Amino acid sequence: MAQWTSAVGAAQLARQLNAQQTRPHGPGTRKPPAYRALADGIRLLVLEGRVPVAARLPAERELAVALAVSRTTVAAAYEALRAEGFLESRRGAGSWTAVPAGNPLPARGLEPLPPESLGSVIDLGCASLPAPEPWLTRAVQGALEELPPYAHTHGDYPAGLPALRQMLADRYTARGIPTMPEQIMVTTGAMGAIDAICHLFAGRGERIAVESPSYANILQLMREAGARLVPVAMAEGLTGWDLPRWRQVLRDAAPRLAYVVADFHNPTGALADEDQRRGLVDAARSAGTVLVVDETMTELFLDAGIDMPRPVCAFDPSGSTVLTVGSASKAFWAGMRIGWVRAAPDVIRSLVAARAYADLGTPVLEQLAVTWLMSTGGWEEAVEIRRAQARDNRDALVAAVRRELPDWEFDVPGGGLTLWVRTGGLSGSRLAEMGERVGVRVPSGPRFGVDGAFEGYVRLPFTVGGPVADEAAVRLAAAARLVESGASNGSEAPRTFVA
């Protein structure tokens, strides 16, 4: 019986490997042998989770053709990976990826570090901030006071608590988008909302158009659902959405769904203007594509004077094209797993019916907490605290990175929680690997792309400030020096710095 559970094609693996950038070797540095560079490239893909563990690799001859190298080079690379514990083989079954004994399995998303690890490692992987107290405590206390009547029921509300659905509908109406409670379904976070949408609209093998780059966890969710991702390149900097490109891709690929983050895009921080929003809706409508709009960052404008455009759904009065997803997780607290979908009533009914085979409903107590926040004015107070935290952290991180890594390039967004950084020609994958050694966790650019794109980028979230932001930049600079020096897996680089 084969020991592998999935397979990676030669063309796909070649694209991922060819996208890995390395800075040219300077005087006094020796270029590694071709087999060693190939083995290191595959090892990085496994460590980052972009090639799964227990994935069957292409046969030596197939990969050699795809990479335009000799079969001897591929054979030597595979042998090196076997010796290091990153590859297992059996005659007749082929070769499949593995991790050495004692190594943690690589994460394919952006899971936060466990709290016990935070003393020695600065976590720049997860774009989430601590709760905006005292509002979390007050919201839970208020929810407990409202709980007794619900405790006498079965507790299953597949569409969400009526009070919260009404509250969310009223908030859309106040933004100029008339909405009924029947157009709202409450979900377990935005991820739960998008998962439900993908399962309803895009079966296995269906195409989904996505921004390139886009939010790593959503990309992985779609891959796990069996979707075929169609990347649409973002324009440079904060200019965002290239409408001619979107029209062409939607027309030619005819994807069932398209997913966009129009408000302080994750990871670039771009904010779509009204013309871009109108153009996206028109292009989706013309192609017969359902446009899924992620609004989780919409309230996180950080700079004074930002005039927020109308929601994307404002350009779809009939509700036939746009599905809007919102969440309390970014604007309030990641531990508050409350999300929602706004759509036409018939779509909501279909989503609710399909939910019976998934999670049945969202926890009542958390729904009551969000209802309490939104009905008392506590939500606005808490979000203002969140904006102040993110603004201070952003400014501290920007100053620290500019001081310690002057070759790195980025545009400072006016909102959101992330900085998208070009790393001066260094490999983002290798920076992530070396960062682990020196005590800073940073996600590499390819996590946010398709098939190895954005190797020359990393994403930095606004989750640390003050002296911690300074130390994070110092550690990133140390990781960059290790990459520049060509440190290998066997390097004697220090595992952590002590702050």
Side-chain angles (χ1 to χ4, degrees):
M1 180 178 176
Q3 301 298 306
W4 46 272
T5 57
S6 62
V8 182
Q12 176 189 359
L13 184 57
R15 284 195 300 273
Q16 291 179 289
L17 290 166
N18 287 331
Q20 291 178 337
Q21 299 173 0
T22 56
R23 180 169 286 184
H25 294 267
T29 62
R30 187 168 54 188
K31 184 177 180 179
Y35 85 89
R36 183 68 261 173
L38 176 55
D40 287 346
I42 294 173
R43 176 174 52 80
L44 276 173
L45 292 175
V46 173
L47 287 172
E48 285 212 320
R50 290 187 284 128
V51 167
V53 174
R56 187 179 186 274
L57 293 186
E60 294 171 2
R61 189 184 304 277
E62 293 175 2
L63 187 57
V65 170
L67 291 172
V69 299
S70 71
R71 183 179 177 181
T72 302
T73 296
V74 177
Y78 278 15
E79 181 57 36
L81 289 168
R82 277 190 287 269
E84 295 162 6
F86 286 94
L87 197 69
E88 296 181 9
S89 303
R90 195 176 69 193
R91 186 178 298 277
S95 298
W96 57 91
T97 57
V99 292
N103 279 38
L105 287 175
R108 303 200 70 190
L110 302 178
E111 295 83 356
L113 283 174
E116 62 268 18
S117 300
L118 296 179
S120 60
V121 179
I122 298 174
D123 186 7
L124 296 181
C126 186
S128 299
L129 289 162
E133 289 287 34
W135 292 106
L136 174 61
T137 299
R138 292 180 184 178
V140 173
Q141 291 170 343
L144 288 171
E145 293 176 3
E146 298 294 330
L147 183 61
Y150 295 93
H152 294 292
T153 73
H154 48 64
D156 287 336
Y157 296 87
L161 293 185
L164 181 54
R165 296 176 76 195
Q166 182 68 62
M167 185 64 61
L168 292 167
D170 290 346
R171 290 175 70 85
Y172 278 106
T173 300
R175 295 169 66 191
I177 316 297
T179 302
M180 304 178 295
E182 291 80 9
Q183 291 177 261
I184 301 293
M185 181 177 84
V186 180
T187 62
T188 307
M191 294 286 288
I194 293 170
D195 182 59
I197 291 168
C198 288
H199 279 88
L200 180 63
F201 284 93
R204 185 166 293 275
E206 292 274 8
R207 295 184 180 92
I208 301 179
V210 294
E211 298 145 328
S212 183
S214 187
Y215 178 36
N217 285 342
I218 292 296
L219 295 181
Q220 190 56 35
L221 181 154
M222 292 174 175
R223 291 187 188 102
E224 297 290 345
R228 298 163 61 190
L229 301 184
V230 182
V232 187
M234 296 282 283
E236 284 296 317
L238 299 177
T239 54
W241 294 262
D242 184 333
L243 291 180
R245 189 174 292 167
W246 270 96
R247 281 191 286 267
Q248 179 182 352
V249 169
L250 295 184
R251 181 182 64 247
D252 295 347
R256 187 70 181 93
L257 291 178
Y259 169 76
V260 299
V261 186
D263 298 311
F264 307 117
H265 175 259
N266 185 353
T268 69
L271 175 65
D273 61 30
E274 293 217 351
D275 287 342
Q276 289 171 322
R277 292 165 191 247
R278 182 183 293 106
L280 286 169
V281 174
D282 289 346
R285 184 182 295 117
S286 297
T289 297
V290 175
L291 185 63
V292 181
V293 180
D294 186 332
E295 283 193 337
T296 54
M297 298 282 187
T298 191
E299 297 191 67
L300 293 177
F301 48 89
L302 305 182
D303 292 337
I306 290 182
D307 187 15
M308 289 297 294
R310 286 178 290 171
V312 176
C313 57
F315 303 97
D316 180 39
S318 67
S320 61
T321 299
V322 176
L323 306 183
T324 303
V325 173
S327 172
S329 297
K330 296 298 185 184
F332 185 73
W333 184 48
M336 188 66 76
R337 305 304 304 161
I338 298 294
W340 52 86
V341 181
R342 181 200 180 275
D346 61 319
V347 173
I348 293 298
R349 287 193 294 271
S350 297
L351 287 169
V352 171
R355 190 176 195 179
Y357 306 101
D359 64 353
L360 292 178
T362 302
V364 170
L365 189 63
E366 292 186 25
Q367 292 187 72
L368 289 172
V370 173
T371 304
W372 184 92
L373 284 166
M374 291 182 172
S375 63
T376 62
W379 179 268
E380 285 71 23
E381 296 279 353
V383 170
E384 189 53 48
I385 293 173
R386 171 66 72 244
R387 291 191 193 109
Q389 289 174 324
R391 185 185 307 114
D392 290 346
N393 288 355
R394 178 197 64 181
D395 295 347
L397 187 64
V398 164
V401 172
R402 282 178 171 164
R403 181 179 63 250
E404 300 293 336
L405 294 151
D407 291 340
W408 288 19
E409 303 172 34
F410 51 86
D411 291 295
V412 181
L417 289 172
T418 57
L419 200 64
W420 185 237
V421 181
R422 191 192 299 268
T423 56
L426 296 180
S427 162
S429 298
R430 287 176 168 79
L431 280 166
E433 181 189 23
M434 297 305 168
E436 295 280 353
R437 300 187 184 193
V438 299
V440 60
R441 182 174 182 253
V442 58
S444 66
R447 286 185 176 272
F448 304 88
V450 177
D451 283 345
F454 307 109
E455 186 62 56
Y457 289 82
V458 293
R459 190 195 73 169
L460 305 180
F462 311 147
T463 52
V464 297
V468 181
D470 292 337
E471 178 63 17
V474 168
R475 297 186 187 192
L476 285 172
R481 289 192 294 271
L482 286 175
V483 174
E484 288 176 315
S485 70
S488 68
N489 188 45
S491 168
E492 297 181 359
R495 301 297 296 185
T496 59
F497 287 159
V498 178

